Amino acid sequence: MFLQKKGPTLLLAAALPLFLAACEGDDGAPGPAGGTGAVGAQGVPGADGANSLVVQTELAVGNAQCRSGGVQFDSGLDTNGNGSLDANEITDTTFVCNASADRAFVRVATFPVCSLIDPDCDDVTETAAEIVAATPDGRTLIYTDSPTEQLGFVDISDPANPVGIEAIALGGEPTSVAVSGNRAFVGVVDPVNTFDIPAGFLAVVDTATRTISATVNVGGQPDSIAVSPDGNWLAIVIENERDEDENDGDIGATPQLPAGFVWVVDISGGGVGTPIAVTMTGLASTAPSDPEPEYVDINDDNIAVVTLQENNHIVLIDLESQTIINDFNAGTVDLAQIDLTEDGDDPTGRNRIFQTEMQMAIPREADGVAWISNELFATADEGDYLGGSRGFTIYNTSGEVVYTSGNNLDHLAARYGHYNDERSGNKGNEPENAEYGNYDGDDILVIASERSSLLFVYDVSDPVRPMLTQTLPTALGPEGVLAIPSRNLLVAASEEDSRDDKFRGGLNIYTYAVQDPTYPTIASADRMDGTPIPWSAMSGLGYDAVVPGYVFSIEDSFYGSNRIFRIDPSTFPATLDREITIVDTNDVFAGITVDAVTAGTADDDPTRIDVFDSEDLAAMINADKTVNIDPEGIDVAGDGGFWIASEGAGTVGDAARPVNSANLIFKTDASGLIEAVVQLPDAVDANQLRFGFEGIAEYNDAGWVAFQRVWPGDTNVRIGRYDLTAASWSFFFYPLEAPISPNGGWVGLSDLTSLDDGRFLVVERDNQGGPDARIKRLYVVDTNGAVDGDTLTKTLVADLIPSLEMTGGPIPEKVEGSVVVGGDVWIINDNDGVDDNSGETQFLNLGAILP
């Protein structure tokens, strides 16, 4: 019997005595005693037996039986008497394993592919990293860059410090890449390609010289490419995608020929054989004449699995015989507790996440696919024109569903602040791709969510019951995923890139080792219905001095019914355990003084564009008395309620940006009920710039607010003080740094935290992200002795960029919150509601850094 123990183990041998008891009769009395027999003769001494031997072997970290190392005990009889325990004499083996620390993926770098154009990414050219492969040694990444029509090479000898090598022109748009030996095989769409006459070719690239050694016409528009594990076969998906502007892309109503198919190519021996076509027509029940194969993967038996996404079909091909050995419908799923209502459909006209709806019999429409054994494979069920099932599925080769994830991925995205409500009515988190790798015995399946910019990591050692082990952040729009188990690495390629919108395409690199996870930094608890509290677009932070230990944050104007969140930072991830909706039940907000306007007067009417009026006010209060304000700052009031700074919308004097709201301070009770509203003096309001209130803090019977930008007529940005007793305003001025980003932009304030001694911690930042970020800083200003109109002196506390770089991801544009908890400074960034944003939220403890 083999015994394996994990963790410190003590093996004890105990003698088990044999007890002989006298028999008892039915009445419980002892039975009659037997007599004692005669003593027998002594037997002949037996021959000496073989010695019993035990061999102890130290096991290194990474051993298949003891992943954290340990000791192997082999035991048996020395039957040949040579004094050693030979292999054929071992009758028992026991493993005593060291305490096993959990292994985890941690992101160590994000390589911006724009750096292959300019080392500092000081270039507006749109780039992308779509599909990624690696050389056999795992030290060079090779990725497709569709916008620039190039193939990029990156050295990851040091994964934490990737170095761009070069990008080579392909003469067309690359769609996929796979590597065998020293050759990279790239599917390229020819520039002459049209929907009616698709055209493309296979480029064979020498990975050592990074030159194209051959091209092969593939007679259509190529998509996914895969190389067999033995390096002998290449499968090329020829999608021949349809024109989605025709009949709204409804492939069922109007099939668009020519049909897609799959090429099978013999690449053994370093050659490229004649491609052999495997047709796909007549298989699917949806548009059987117009198959559009999407993705391919190959197992150790040289069986290719191919997804026909729009046809909701899956095909298995024996590459050696170039024949289809099975095909089946991908099936449908029933989804409950999902959000199907997005901006424009919501009665408020704003985004709100309510995972309370249901959708039945939704075709899976699988995109990416990956074998997890020779009998099982997993699909990322993205969906296309019929919606999308928002999850992933594991099948066996007979077409039977082994596991399906249901609504899990949507719920995880909401729990971690990554749910993209702009996609609620379409595909939710939109699973894009699947990848499998065996990391020293750990069976890992990774599902990439394109719209939530997350990697969901599952242990599939029991494929009937996959176990979520991690959720990892990526740059915006992950497409390709690559497992490199030989180096304990994982790579994801993010294709979305826009310098103007503050995000760049890149390669996300993760290491797998005995280490603590670093993401997510916040996870929400469940609502009463079992769905997670959805959150995103975090802004300011405030500390609960009434019930010490908790931090409060607030969502900004991205959502239509503003909420306050309570966060417990003592856990990892920090636990968001309470949501408090701001309400105007007593009509306090509804009753503030504003300019009256005739109902129905247009927003751009000259009488309205420069004032916050009654129509604007009415639009900020929902029928259920919740509010649509723009909360940017929050602090916990001394009575246990909240102070909230709401930023105004619009700029006075700019007809293109009419004033739709003013900068307002709200005081609520602990339940979010509005108790008071404070407005700026008219003379200040008359100069409103759309960059207004940001941070807020209570100190010394006053509410203090930080403006974001310098308003017209001022030299420096304002910090306002509202005296609660006198109900009067005074203003101080803060000197901002000049912009130093190569992308220009501006610098402003984001949050204000009272240090309870007349000093305030201030977040100052530029409006740049990723390679263009330069100013993300914390300063302290001292207001002691300052009077109305004074310019304050600031002292640098911390440059935040090194701390943000340690996360391994792109530097976020909007560091918008700061708070002090037990002497430690915490910061948080705003993820813009996952709109043109990866959704990543970093809630970081910087430690005791205050002077």
Side-chain angles (χ1 to χ4, degrees), residues 523-610:
S524 67
D526 284 343
R527 287 172 163 169
M528 293 296 292
D529 64 359
T531 64
I533 298 172
W535 63 274
S536 197
M538 292 293 198
S539 196
L541 293 173
Y543 180 64
D544 190 351
V546 179
V547 184
Y550 289 103
V551 168
F552 286 87
S553 190
I554 196 163
E555 63 188 2
D556 65 21
S557 62
F558 188 79
Y559 296 100
S561 184
N562 308 112
R563 295 169 298 159
I564 299 165
F565 301 108
R566 188 175 77 169
I567 301 170
D568 180 358
S570 69
T571 65
F572 186 86
T575 304
L576 189 159
D577 64 359
R578 187 180 177 193
E579 58 181 341
I580 303 168
T581 302
I582 304 170
V583 294
D584 191 37
T585 304
N586 294 338
D587 292 330
V588 173
F589 184 29
I592 68 172
T593 302
V594 293
D595 290 352
V597 65
T598 303
T601 305
D603 287 349
D604 58 357
D605 187 278
T607 63
R608 295 193 58 199
I609 58 175
D610 284 343

Side-chain angles (χ1 to χ4, degrees), residues 725-781:
T725 303
S728 62
W729 282 94
S730 56
F731 296 95
F732 309 93
F733 292 92
Y734 176 100
L736 290 169
E737 298 296 309
I740 56 175
S741 171
N743 200 34
W746 50 260
V747 176
L749 301 185
S750 275
D751 205 4
L752 190 70
T753 303
S754 172
L755 301 182
D756 296 328
D757 58 3
R759 297 182 305 151
F760 291 85
L761 184 66
V762 180
V763 177
E764 185 174 348
R765 67 170 180 89
D766 59 20
N767 69 329
Q768 302 298 314
D772 287 317
R774 292 295 184 274
I775 296 177
K776 316 291 179 189
R777 300 175 186 171
L778 291 176
Y779 289 93
V780 165
V781 294

Side-chain angles (χ1 to χ4, degrees), residues 609-610 650-659 690:
I609 58 175
D610 284 343
T651 299
V652 171
D654 185 350
R657 299 186 183 278
V659 173
R690 66 189 181 98

Side-chain angles (χ1 to χ4, degrees), residues 175 188-190 193-201 217-224 236-244 251 254-263 280-281 289-294 310-311:
T175 57
V188 185
V189 179
D190 195 290
N193 176 77
T194 66
F195 291 113
D196 295 330
I197 309 176
F201 57 90
N217 183 0
V218 296
Q221 174 245 322
D223 198 341
S224 175
I236 310 171
V237 164
I238 306 299
E239 182 179 10
N240 291 344
E241 64 183 355
R242 68 198 186 286
D243 181 355
E244 295 193 12
I251 191 174
T254 309
Q256 299 177 29
L257 302 182
F261 58 96
V262 172
W263 285 119
M280 302 277 155
T281 55
S289 65
D290 185 16
E292 292 189 13
E294 186 77 26
E310 291 80 5
N311 311 93

Side-chain angles (χ1 to χ4, degrees), residues 180 183 185 202 226-228 231-234 265-273:
S180 178
R183 295 184 296 173
F185 298 91
L202 173 70
V227 169
S228 62
N232 291 331
W233 298 96
L234 181 70
V265 185
D266 185 341
I267 58 170
S268 61
V272 179

